[in-house]
Amino acid sequence: MANEASGTPRLADVARAAGVSQSTASRVLNGSTRQVAGTYRDRVLAAAKQVGYSTNLAAQAMARGRYPAVALVVGDIRDQFFARIAFGATREASRRGYVLNLLSTEGDESRERDLIEELRRQRPEALVLARKRDTSARAGSGLMEQLIGFQRENGRVVIVGEPAEPVMAIRPPDADGGKALATALLELGYRRFVLFLADPTIPSQRDRLDGFRVGLSAGGVALPDSQVYEVPQSMAGGAAAVKEFLADRGDTEIIVSTEDSVAWGAIHELQSRGVAVPDDLAIAGYGHRASSPIGYDADWLTTVRSPLEEMGAAAISAALDPLAVDIPTPTPEVHLGPSTPARYPSVRH
């Protein structure tokens, strides 16, 4: 029965409805480390739902010594890289019964240290930091000192991005994705490539190039530096690269970009200049974004799906598992679309 005076269900009401002691109900609902038998746990949870009792997070914090949540710090949440990681992390945290606190640097990496310093005071049980660039998570840096401090005082830290000892990390499998894309394009009959490298200061972009070269090399095809164009990571970057590329196009069969946004910009510029894609020149990208910015179905573009949602989930799982010693890396998937038709009749798309 709910508290008649206030109308607000109390822990005692849950215990009474479940036929257990109040301390047992508290251990189930307030996150005590002491285990409760499955039968009693189910009864308490059913009773809490019956009387309309909501878990008191402050009580959980007192029982556990920390806030029953996991924090996720990302860059600009408008960036699909971070948004997809956050989606997977949120889903996994919810599956485990945790609250996920999402904080964004809004693209200002200098805020990372301040946000983590604040989280040390809030005391979530774990922290996941998603980052693109390998800039300041180094031994002795201010950011690393904050990460180690959090790990010492609260719980495990996991980085999604560049490895940074002694913090556990999961790195995007971009080299594997680049290699798989090269293999798939070779099987379609392509042999003469140009590559648009989006922002080479980002490690994942360099990994995509390196993996792509490894895949081509295994098929007996080289990709010299003269066929690699370094471009900004944007549609405008792809358009600008096309203008340079067309001046010395040669017998290129396909342009491969290490980022979908660059590929879409290249497609738009090529078509505005009378170059038919894919009839005159095929195009492939990397990332498998959810939508096209120029009106195509997103699946029209041949690309690689980065397993970012899976990485977000894996990072949460590892952060909350005290026995985890490494994080299995999900596998990227090549998506073949109409932007890369089979080059020769004997090759099936």
Side-chain angles (χ1 to χ4, degrees):
M1 178 182 296
N3 180 11
E4 294 180 358
S6 66
T8 302
R10 302 173 303 174
L11 186 63
D13 301 319
V14 176
R16 189 180 304 112
V20 301
S21 68
Q22 191 166 325
S23 60
T24 296
S26 177
R27 284 197 292 273
V28 173
L29 297 173
N30 291 329
S32 171
T33 56
R34 293 181 61 184
Q35 296 296 311
V36 176
T39 300
Y40 290 109
R41 178 180 176 82
D42 292 343
R43 283 164 54 182
V44 169
L45 294 175
K49 184 176 181 179
Q50 175 189 337
V51 304
Y53 178 83
S54 297
T55 301
N56 187 324
L57 294 182
Q60 284 195 4
M62 292 182 64
R64 297 186 182 190
R66 58 178 67 95
Y67 185 60
V70 56
L72 173 64
V73 177
V74 302
D76 190 342
I77 193 62
R78 295 168 297 183
D79 186 320
Q80 279 201 35
F81 176 85
F82 295 116
R84 289 175 57 195
I85 289 172
F87 180 84
T90 300
R91 186 168 50 187
E92 180 62 18
S94 177
R95 189 186 71 80
R96 290 172 171 266
Y98 279 78
V99 174
L100 185 134
N101 290 342
L102 176 62
L103 298 91
S104 173
T105 68
E106 299 178 3
D108 180 3
E109 292 185 1
S110 66
R111 296 188 62 210
E112 284 179 329
R113 181 183 179 279
D114 294 339
L115 289 175
I116 293 165
E117 185 176 13
E118 176 62 27
L119 285 169
R120 289 176 67 181
R121 291 191 287 269
Q122 295 179 15
R123 300 182 67 79
E125 289 198 20
L127 166 65
V128 174
L129 173 62
R131 54 204 329 265
K132 279 187 176 182
R133 301 175 189 271
D134 182 20
T135 52
S136 57
R138 292 297 187 194
S141 70
L143 174 60
M144 182 55 70
E145 289 176 0
Q146 290 296 333
L147 294 175
I148 293 173
F150 180 97
Q151 194 157 254
R152 181 178 60 248
E153 299 161 3
N154 300 303
R156 174 168 282 169
V157 174
V158 174
I159 293 178
V160 179
E162 288 298 288
E165 296 292 343
V167 175
M168 182 178 287
I170 176 171
R171 184 172 183 174
D174 291 298
D176 291 341
K179 180 180 178 181
L181 179 60
T183 300
L185 294 175
L186 289 173
E187 290 176 352
L188 291 177
Y190 292 95
R191 294 296 182 270
R192 296 185 292 278
F193 297 84
V194 157
L195 186 135
F196 289 178
L197 175 61
D199 196 347
T201 65
I202 298 177
S204 62
Q205 300 292 331
R206 299 196 303 269
D207 288 347
R208 294 170 188 179
L209 168 61
D210 292 343
F212 192 75
R213 276 178 158 154
V214 168
L216 292 185
S217 179
V221 176
L223 182 70
D225 290 342
S226 61
Q227 293 168 230
V228 176
Y229 294 74
E230 296 184 1
V231 305
Q233 187 177 322
S234 63
M235 283 188 63
V242 163
K243 296 173 186 176
E244 182 181 355
F245 159 76
L246 289 177
D248 52 3
R249 173 179 173 180
D251 59 353
T252 301
E253 298 171 330
I254 181 170
I255 294 175
V256 176
S257 170
T258 59
E259 180 63 39
D260 280 355
S261 61
V262 172
W264 289 118
I267 291 167
H268 185 267
E269 183 67 21
L270 285 166
Q271 292 181 333
S272 70
R273 291 170 173 265
V275 180
V277 179
D279 295 339
D280 297 336
L281 190 66
I283 297 280
Y286 198 111
H288 204 185
R289 292 179 175 269
S291 60
S292 160
I294 59 173
Y296 284 78
D297 185 305
D299 285 340
W300 181 85
L301 179 67
T302 287
T303 185
V304 179
R305 179 187 176 275
S306 296
L308 299 178
E309 291 89 350
E310 293 88 340
M311 290 171 58
I316 294 294
S317 180
L320 294 174
D321 182 0
L323 300 180
V325 294
D326 57 19
I327 310 176
T329 302
T331 303
E333 301 173 358
V334 175
H335 166 76
L336 294 176
S339 71
T340 57
R343 183 66 180 171
Y344 305 115
S346 59
V347 181
R348 291 188 299 173
H349 191 150

